[in-house]
Amino acid sequence: KENVIAGESGGITQHIGAFSVSMPSGKSITFLDTPGHEAFLSMRRRGADVTDIVVLVVAADDSVKPQTIEAIKHAKEANVPMIVAINKIDKEGVQPERVKQDLARHGVTVEDYGGDVQSIPVSGKTGQGMGELEEAIVALSEMLDHRADRDGNAEGWIIESSTKKAGRVATVLVKRGTI
């Protein structure tokens, strides 16, 4: 239900945003939102390097674009498992099967085609499929045994930083420990 692009110039995400979401299941998932626009290649690369699971969002009406291919490449280079969210499924005339075929051409074989990558049809507008996406993320995370050690020295990454009137501000993604 978050409208990330509402405050962005030109209606596109222009920074890496990190936020935790309490899910209906009671679990909390931290999302790292990277820009999809082709001009933000290095941000997408950095996002893949610091995540546990990549949720590759592909628009059902656009299918695989050059920046999608780059995001696939980054996820593979970072050796990060992937889940595909086929977005805009609520629109008329969309072709989710075309998306799956296009992904297969670029080395991402979804379960429907005999691969090991889950694909979930979703709508960011209506919320359709978001429960299934949550289930897929939680199941893969549990299968991979992703858990953070809360004790000990903190370790993480500075995702973004800026200077504001009040001083310097940074978004930190904590991998282990507590700040």
Side-chain angles (χ1 to χ4, degrees):
K1 296 181 182 172
E2 183 70 26
N3 189 351
V4 176
I5 64 168
E8 299 286 349
S9 177
I12 60 171
T13 305
Q14 298 178 21
H15 69 283
I16 296 179
F19 50 94
S20 291
V21 177
S22 295
M23 306 305 283
S25 66
K27 300 210 181 252
S28 179
I29 300 175
T30 300
F31 287 94
L32 189 64
D33 183 23
T34 60
H37 192 274
E38 61 190 337
F40 299 99
L41 172 69
S42 62
M43 284 188 194
R44 285 193 303 280
R45 181 180 297 123
R46 179 153 169 75
D49 287 341
V50 300
T51 58
D52 295 323
I53 298 170
V54 168
V55 177
L56 182 69
V57 180
V58 183
D61 59 347
D62 283 341
S63 196
V64 175
K65 312 254 307 162
Q67 55 269 34
T68 311
I69 297 166
E70 285 295 330
I72 292 167
K73 178 182 166 191
H74 300 320
K76 288 183 176 191
E77 286 173 355
N79 199 27
V80 178
M82 185 183 318
I83 296 171
V84 175
I86 303 175
N87 194 21
K88 300 184 181 180
I89 203 70
D90 58 308
K91 290 181 79 173
E92 285 289 324
V94 295
Q95 299 176 357
E97 289 304 312
R98 181 178 144 225
V99 172
K100 295 173 189 178
Q101 292 166 1
D102 290 348
L103 287 168
R105 284 188 200 98
H106 295 285
V108 177
T109 309
V110 298
E111 291 174 335
D112 295 355
Y113 285 25
D116 59 357
V117 177
Q118 295 179 76
S119 67
I120 315 293
V122 300
S123 169
K125 188 175 182 180
T126 68
Q128 176 185 342
M130 292 303 172
E132 291 83 1
L133 181 59
E134 174 195 358
E135 288 174 19
I137 293 168
V138 169
L140 183 55
S141 178
E142 288 175 353
M143 187 178 80
L144 297 171
D145 198 28
H146 286 304
R147 293 185 229 186
D149 181 6
R150 294 178 171 261
D151 299 324
N153 294 330
E155 179 184 328
W157 301 270
I158 302 293
I159 301 301
E160 283 193 314
S161 63
S162 63
T163 302
K164 309 261 183 200
K165 284 184 181 180
R168 294 185 180 105
V169 178
T171 300
V172 179
L173 185 61
V174 179
K175 184 171 179 82
R176 67 177 53 94
T178 304
I179 294 181

